[in-house]
Amino acid sequence: MQVKDLKQVKEFVFVNEGNLEANIDDVFVGDLLSWVMASANINSAWITVQAHINTVAVSLLKEFSCLIICDNADIEQETIDKCIEENFCLIKTELNAYQCCKEFYKLGL
């Protein structure tokens, strides 16, 4: 699956598109940054409510495919700007983390 395949989910709003060709091999759900850094796999789609610039730093460090901010959490402008600068896909949704995972399941991941 690639990031562009997430466009099929009407509840996923692409804040910026970034690299739509990035592969998604896994999904990781978590809000504790140190846990994410220690546990997540590369090429993961990361689902979180953390919407500050440090999530972008962790995403890039872990070589994630995209960042999905769930529960309609407010995203800081600094976070959006950094995603644009890094050509990294940022997605926002009103869905909660469980509902996001269900959408990935429907897409075959």
Side-chain angles (χ1 to χ4, degrees), residues 1-2 11 15 17 37 51-52 67 71 73 78 80 83 89 97:
M1 169 186 297
Q2 293 182 315
E11 293 87 2
V15 178
E17 295 200 348
M37 288 182 359
H52 49 77
L67 177 61
D71 287 317
E78 177 180 47
I80 296 168
C83 286
C89 186

Side-chain angles (χ1 to χ4, degrees), residues 11-27:
E11 293 87 2
F12 286 177
V13 177
F14 282 68
V15 178
N16 76 300
E17 295 200 348
N19 181 6
L20 295 177
E21 303 296 320
N23 289 323
I24 301 174
D25 299 326
D26 198 8
V27 177

Side-chain angles (χ1 to χ4, degrees), residues 47-96:
I47 301 170
T48 183
V49 294
Q50 299 288 348
H52 49 77
I53 195 162
N54 292 341
T55 57
V56 180
V58 170
S59 296
L60 297 172
L61 176 72
K62 293 295 292 187
E63 299 179 39
F64 289 155
S65 307
C66 61
L67 177 61
I68 302 171
I69 307 300
C70 62
D71 287 317
N72 207 27
D74 290 331
I75 302 174
E76 297 176 359
Q77 186 61 47
E78 177 180 47
T79 302
I80 296 168
D81 294 343
K82 187 65 175 175
C83 286
I84 291 168
E85 176 186 324
E86 295 291 340
N87 194 36
F88 184 71
C89 186
L90 178 62
I91 298 169
K92 183 174 183 171
T93 183
E94 293 182 359
L95 300 176
N96 64 36

Side-chain angles (χ1 to χ4, degrees), residues 23-41:
N23 289 323
I24 301 174
D25 299 326
D26 198 8
V27 177
F28 193 86
V29 179
D31 298 320
L32 185 60
L33 300 185
S34 60
W35 187 264
V36 174
M37 288 182 359
S39 305
N41 297 319

